[in-house]
Amino acid sequence: MSAGMVGVGLVSGLTATGPGPVPVLGAVAAVAVYCSVMRRAARRSTPEIARSGAAREVLLGGGIGLGFILVSALLITAFGGYSFTWAGDGFMSVVRAAVVVQIGAAVTEELLFRGLALQALEQVWGSWAAVVVTSLFFGLAHLGAPGANAWSGLAIALEAGVLLGAAFLWRRSIWFVVGLHFAWNTTEQLLGIPVSGHAPEGLFAVGVHGSPLLTGGGFGLEASIMPVLMGVAIAVPMLVRAHRNGGVKPRRRARR
């Protein structure tokens, strides 16, 4: 886990905000580092990033991520929290930039948190504890973002950490959680909603009205109570299916 997180983290740090296709190239490099660490250090195969069925898993996860954000934004708008106006500048350039950046973010973050950390921790503590620990660290990792506070960190831990952890246990596919994560972030960005406090250019300009508990305030939709409730509601059936399918590993018993 340590070797992989250093390697993938270094690739992410060098490429995440690079120009043009650099974030996508960084994602490719991160996958290569992950494969190398798993095969050389962990000495195991990597079925979680198998190419067979990868497109299906990405699309399935992407559909869930897209629906999750659109419904959350619609509910906040229905309660008077958001209003949208068309930005009207460079449709293709905005979409292209969002897709490139979010591919890099989704791939590297999922390799770090679900591929390396969750799978390593569940070998010792079991799947439930691994999801809890990685969720908490996922929330802590976002505390340095603009507009972040204790509530936004907890919200990220619940709606993202738990949901993405549950998604991985259910499908045992990094591509599934990458698709979910990518669609989530890209949809937010294109709607003009800050993504974890960061406000890159989108297709719309969003007006924010009312309580930060409803809107997420300056941090964005992820600090709203709506996606927190929705994320937990989606994660629970995923965890139930993971348990039924044998995707949940028990805590390792100590040797005598």
Side-chain angles (χ1 to χ4, degrees):
M1 180 181 73
S2 299
M5 293 188 80
V6 169
V8 174
L10 182 60
V11 170
S12 176
L14 292 173
T15 62
T17 58
V22 169
V24 174
L25 297 176
V28 174
V31 172
V33 170
Y34 179 86
C35 287
S36 178
V37 169
M38 285 297 189
R39 290 171 183 172
R40 295 176 182 272
R43 299 187 183 280
R44 73 166 182 86
S45 59
T46 51
E48 67 274 14
I49 57 170
R51 285 181 292 180
S52 177
R56 180 186 67 248
E57 294 296 327
V58 169
L59 290 173
L60 179 58
I64 294 174
L66 176 65
F68 174 67
I69 294 302
L70 288 180
V71 171
S72 296
L74 180 62
L75 288 172
I76 295 170
T77 302
F79 282 98
Y82 287 162
S83 59
F84 295 92
T85 55
W86 180 252
D89 295 325
F91 177 87
M92 287 306 301
S93 62
V94 170
V95 172
R96 188 184 305 112
V99 168
V100 167
V101 169
Q102 300 306 340
I103 285 176
V107 171
T108 55
E109 288 186 22
E110 292 313 314
L111 289 176
L112 287 169
F113 285 93
R114 261 58 64 175
L116 290 160
L118 190 151
Q119 289 193 99
L121 295 176
E122 73 175 349
Q123 295 297 319
V124 181
W125 296 336
S127 299
W128 301 123
V131 168
V132 171
V133 172
T134 53
S135 297
L136 290 174
F137 273 99
F138 200 62
L140 287 172
H142 288 77
L143 285 179
N149 53 34
W151 163 248
S152 69
L154 178 61
I156 287 285
L158 290 172
E159 74 199 5
V162 173
L163 176 56
L164 292 167
F168 180 75
L169 295 185
W170 174 34
R171 305 296 296 184
R172 286 288 166 178
S173 169
I174 289 294
W175 303 124
F176 179 74
V177 288
V178 163
L180 198 165
H181 196 151
F182 167 76
W184 173 331
N185 284 1
T186 304
T187 304
E188 274 189 307
Q189 180 173 342
L190 294 180
L191 288 174
I193 301 170
V195 182
S196 300
H198 300 279
E201 186 179 10
L203 296 176
F204 296 87
V206 61
V208 180
H209 320 279
S211 169
L213 185 63
L214 172 65
T215 66
F219 189 78
L221 179 145
E222 290 153 337
S224 164
I225 191 65
M226 292 296 184
V228 172
L229 297 176
M230 283 191 59
V232 173
I234 296 171
V236 169
M238 286 183 175
L239 290 171
V240 171
R241 291 192 177 193
H243 182 71
R244 289 176 179 173
N245 296 340
V248 175
K249 296 181 179 181
R251 181 187 179 94
R252 179 185 292 178
R253 294 183 180 181
R255 294 180 179 179
R256 293 183 178 180

